[in-house]
Amino acid sequence: MKIILEHIGKSFDGREVLKDLDYVFDADRPVVVKGASGTGKTTLLRIIGGLLSPDKGSVKYEGVERGKCRFAPMFQEQRLIDHLNAVENIRLVCRGMPDKMIADELTKLIPESEILKRAGELSGGTARRVEVVRAILAPSDVLLLDEPLTGLDGDNAERTVGYIMDNLNGRLLIASSHTGLFDGFCSQLLI
Amino acid sequence: MQRRTGVKALIILFWLVLWQAVSIAVDNSILLAGPVEAVMALIHLAATAGFWLSVLTSVIMICSGFFIGLFTGVLLAGCSYRYRIIREFIKPPVTVIKSIPVASFVILVIIWAGSGSLSLVISSLVVFPTVFLNTLAGLDSTSVKLIETGRMFRFRTRDKIRHIYLPSCAPHIESAVCLGAGMAFKSGIAAEVIGRPLRSIGTGIYLSKISLATADLFAWTFCAVVLAFLFEKFITKLMKRILKP
């Protein structure tokens, strides 16, 4: 599938964040969006995900109907359901998947002892990795990961990147990151 | 813990003794009946079938009114949250219901429907705006970020309600229910005093007034206070259980 951006423009309070942006995202080619803080990485991901409308230009979808494109997002900040544990959080988006399978998948990124803790009790880094697993396991066509490595130290960040890249299964990956860890696997979109 | 309970009991005992002492000093059971007289009146009333029938009728009417107010309050708050037009439509009558004195409603209900279901209508009218406004405030304070997450991941509606909206609404609904339970009993019984349906606590209070039986008045009042207290405890526990995500 493809997502085609045509002349995308977006301003906030008179400040132009995105200006005349054209780009073609292809499922065969994962993309990392890079740029300094405030250059519009999050805005771009929100426009692609349909959470924000561009002021100018359009987003077109090829290979999937616009309303039927399934996104698996990670937002800039932690967005787990605090009163549920990691397995329960993932079960909400992977209906029918056995808990054992979810737990096995989680142990690839987080210690087993953290799996049954409430999300609200997890450290920032651990919660972030649970969100990575949730995005990977959720049935989707597009992974929209906004700074997925926030709060992760060197080893964990590398392991997380490896986990994401190994589990794309033909889905389109659009990630934003200020680190260079995705550079070896993805095309770069500088904004 | 035991010491605190002991202190509480002593404080209550102090007030009861003071009440008894004042009633002895006044020496006029119409002006002020003492606690002993009130208890005797309660025992006397409790021995009659009419007392229990009145209590049962009032409890059924007021509790039904409470649940009608609770249900419609939550339902209409949900609709108002979902559809702006319904919110705009419902807010004026809610504001009106909230500000009109209960006594005016009582008279209107008596004119329109008689006094048979008076306490039911009045308690539901008192509970409804409190529950509606609190639930709506809870829904409005739901995290936009979690709503977005639920939408993007296509949560089922029941999961959205249970895990996103309910945790945000629960404290608001709980406080409305706690407040509403007490208000339902107070206004329901006040309505019964004015409307005097055939059998009710309010009618008992009214009859004690016209026969100048102050001890009976205290006995009925004690009964109303205990019922309101028990209902509030019960409903608070029930809501905590229901609203647990």
Side-chain angles (χ1 to χ4, degrees), chain B residues 53 119 131 135 219 221 241:
Chain B
L53 205 58
S119 49
V131 172
T135 309
T221 308
R241 182 171 284 193

Side-chain angles (χ1 to χ4, degrees), chain A residues 33-54:
Chain A
V33 183
K34 302 191 83 170
S37 289
T39 50
K41 299 189 294 289
T42 297
T43 303
L44 177 63
L45 264 58
R46 289 176 71 80
I47 288 174
I48 295 170
L51 293 173
L52 209 57
S53 300

Side-chain angles (χ1 to χ4, degrees), chain A:
Chain A
M1 72 161 293
K2 282 181 183 173
I3 295 178
I4 302 155
L5 307 182
E6 288 178 346
H7 309 297
I8 296 290
K10 184 74 185 174
S11 303
F12 292 106
D13 301 325
R15 193 175 77 88
E16 202 164 42
V17 179
L18 295 173
K19 188 181 175 186
D20 201 27
L21 180 69
D22 291 301
Y23 199 81
V24 177
F25 295 98
D26 194 323
D28 300 333
R29 192 168 47 93
V31 175
V32 60
V33 183
K34 302 191 83 170
S37 289
T39 50
K41 299 189 294 289
T42 297
T43 303
L44 177 63
L45 264 58
R46 289 176 71 80
I47 288 174
I48 295 170
L51 293 173
L52 209 57
S53 300
D55 296 336
K56 292 173 193 161
S58 62
V59 182
K60 288 181 177 162
Y61 297 82
E62 261 185 34
V64 63
E65 277 180 58
R66 190 191 171 101
K68 291 190 175 165
C69 184
R70 297 167 304 169
F71 294 98
M74 267 183 83
F75 299 91
Q76 216 169 21
E77 64 291 311
Q78 196 260 92
R79 292 196 190 180
L80 293 169
I81 307 284
D82 278 348
H83 61 267
L84 299 180
N85 66 34
V87 174
E88 289 165 338
N89 261 287
I90 294 174
R91 200 200 294 141
L92 281 181
V93 302
C94 305
R95 291 186 287 277
M97 186 178 282
D99 285 0
K100 172 84 172 66
M101 196 183 284
I102 296 172
D104 287 347
E105 206 62 22
L106 279 165
T107 49
K108 291 179 183 172
L109 287 187
I110 67 169
E112 209 171 334
S113 57
E114 304 291 291
I115 285 174
L116 294 177
K117 275 189 189 168
R118 288 176 170 214
E121 295 166 3
L122 297 174
S123 69
T126 307
R128 206 64 184 149
R129 281 172 281 166
V130 172
E131 288 189 299
V132 168
V133 177
R134 176 173 72 174
I136 289 292
L137 293 185
S140 64
D141 303 300
V142 182
L143 290 161
L144 277 180
L145 311 185
D146 195 356
E147 297 287 357
L149 308 179
T150 303
L152 303 186
D153 57 29
D155 284 350
N156 279 318
E158 271 181 42
R159 195 141 50 99
T160 302
V161 171
Y163 175 77
I164 293 169
M165 300 316 299
D166 288 345
N167 290 284
L168 287 180
N169 302 323
R171 292 175 291 183
L172 168 57
L173 169 69
I174 306 172
S176 74
S177 181
H178 63 275
T179 72
L181 288 169
F182 281 101
D183 294 358
F185 306 97
C186 302
S187 300
Q188 292 182 41
L189 168 59
L190 299 171
I191 59 171

Side-chain angles (χ1 to χ4, degrees), chain B residues 143-176:
Chain B
S143 159
V144 176
K145 292 176 176 176
L146 285 183
I147 294 170
E148 259 182 16
T149 308
R151 202 171 86 202
M152 290 286 275
F153 277 116
R154 299 171 187 226
F155 280 18
R156 282 180 295 194
T157 305
R158 73 166 193 210
D159 288 332
K160 279 187 201 165
I161 292 172
R162 192 169 162 208
H163 297 299
I164 296 176
Y165 290 106
L166 210 53
S168 162
C169 289
H172 291 82
I173 297 179
E174 273 171 32
S175 69

